[in-house]
Amino acid sequence: MNPPNPFQAIRAIDYTVIFVRDMAAMRRFYEGVLGLPLVRELSPGWIEYRIGGNTLALARPGRTAGDVPTPQGSASLQLAFKVSPPEVDACAAELVRHGVALVEPPTNQSFGHRTLFFRDPDGNLLEVYAEI
């Protein structure tokens, strides 16, 4: 019999970190376009937003990750933000109002989601979706 895996104690993802290339542009986007409330700024290289019960942090790679930044034009992650069905279209209109190009406009998917895809200034793929 195998001993219990200690990682089975994990109950939630507490925070997600996006390693950024351009902190100023990313901050303008997440605060100004998406309207996420700033929770705290631990340093010029680390800021946090609260989304529901989770924290989304924007950080410059450094102390723990000396990785080379993801090349321009390449997404390093995809985030999906859940909303109600009418809010998908409202979010699309707000993005367009801010001059953000939509990768895919609001679309009803065969698997029961209404989705909207766009990119942040660093090229990460973002999704707003609702269950329909």
Side-chain angles (χ1 to χ4, degrees), residues 105-117:
T107 304
N108 289 341
Q109 305 293 343
S110 61
F111 49 84
H113 285 180
R114 182 160 180 78
T115 60
L116 159 67
F117 290 92

Side-chain angles (χ1 to χ4, degrees), residues 31-47:
E31 291 175 32
V33 176
L34 299 188
L36 298 183
L38 179 66
V39 172
R40 63 184 175 167
E41 183 173 353
L42 297 179
S43 74
W46 183 283
I47 58 176

Side-chain angles (χ1 to χ4, degrees), residues 13-63:
I13 294 176
D14 185 58
Y15 65 93
T16 300
V17 179
I18 301 175
F19 290 119
V20 303
R21 287 187 285 268
D22 184 339
M23 181 64 85
M26 292 286 278
R27 188 168 183 172
R28 281 190 305 272
F29 181 80
Y30 282 89
E31 291 175 32
V33 176
L34 299 188
L36 298 183
L38 179 66
V39 172
R40 63 184 175 167
E41 183 173 353
L42 297 179
S43 74
W46 183 283
I47 58 176
E48 296 179 354
Y49 304 98
R50 178 61 73 185
I51 302 174
N54 297 295
T55 298
L56 176 64
L58 301 181
R60 288 192 183 102
R63 185 174 56 118

